[in-house]
Amino acid sequence: MNPQGVIIKASPYTVKETIDRLQAILQSNGVTIYARIDQQNELQKTGQTIPPLEFILFGNPKSGGPIMEENPIAALDLPLKVIAWQDNEQKVWVAYNSAAYIKERHSLSDHVSAPIDLDPLMVKVLG
């Protein structure tokens, strides 16, 4: 599994701990959390069963505004998203869109696209 433009990394933490760590770092940096969804729990309500999977949607309007001003269609990829899930072998993974992919997809300048690079953030979360 290697979808174009998606970065996938292993997490040493459970799904919940991974998203908890991400949320704490984001909030400590003044980032807005728009949604956090426990997909496993939501699917259980419909009688479906999947291993743990959580989704978090977040952003910073101060950074996202110039992106959408430069190309309104970039709003399709904003706010930013990260998912964490556990596979059938009990390994936990995180996935998010690569900044280079979003930048190229929407023809964004270096100036406005710098804040969408989640790699440094994920180093902190997974470290």
Side-chain angles (χ1 to χ4, degrees):
M1 170 179 27
N2 192 12
Q4 180 182 357
V6 176
I7 296 172
I8 300 171
K9 295 184 177 193
S11 173
Y13 307 102
T14 67
V15 168
K16 182 180 180 336
E17 290 170 329
T18 300
I19 298 297
D20 284 347
R21 290 174 59 88
L22 174 57
Q23 183 171 340
I25 292 169
L26 291 169
Q27 288 176 322
S28 72
N29 286 294
V31 175
T32 301
I33 307 297
Y34 295 108
R36 180 173 173 172
I37 303 168
D38 180 338
Q39 297 285 20
Q40 181 187 44
N41 184 51
E42 292 299 313
L43 288 172
Q44 285 175 346
K45 294 175 187 177
T46 69
Q48 298 176 63
T49 304
I50 63 167
L53 187 153
E54 287 198 41
F55 169 94
I56 190 165
L57 183 73
F58 58 92
N60 180 334
K62 187 174 181 180
S63 299
I67 292 170
M68 290 180 281
E69 184 177 358
E70 189 169 289
N71 184 351
I73 295 171
L76 289 170
D77 288 311
L78 299 174
L80 298 171
K81 308 154 204 61
V82 172
I83 63 168
W85 75 96
Q86 180 180 300
D87 68 16
N88 293 331
E89 297 172 0
Q90 312 305 309
K91 285 192 75 176
V92 174
W93 302 91
V94 295
Y96 53 95
N97 286 324
S98 91
Y101 176 76
I102 295 171
K103 179 183 173 191
E104 181 180 330
R105 180 177 184 196
H106 302 292
S107 301
L108 299 172
S109 67
D110 290 341
H111 173 71
V112 301
S113 64
I116 61 174
D117 183 1
L118 297 180
D119 289 337
L121 171 67
M122 296 313 295
V123 167
K124 291 177 187 174
V125 170
L126 302 174

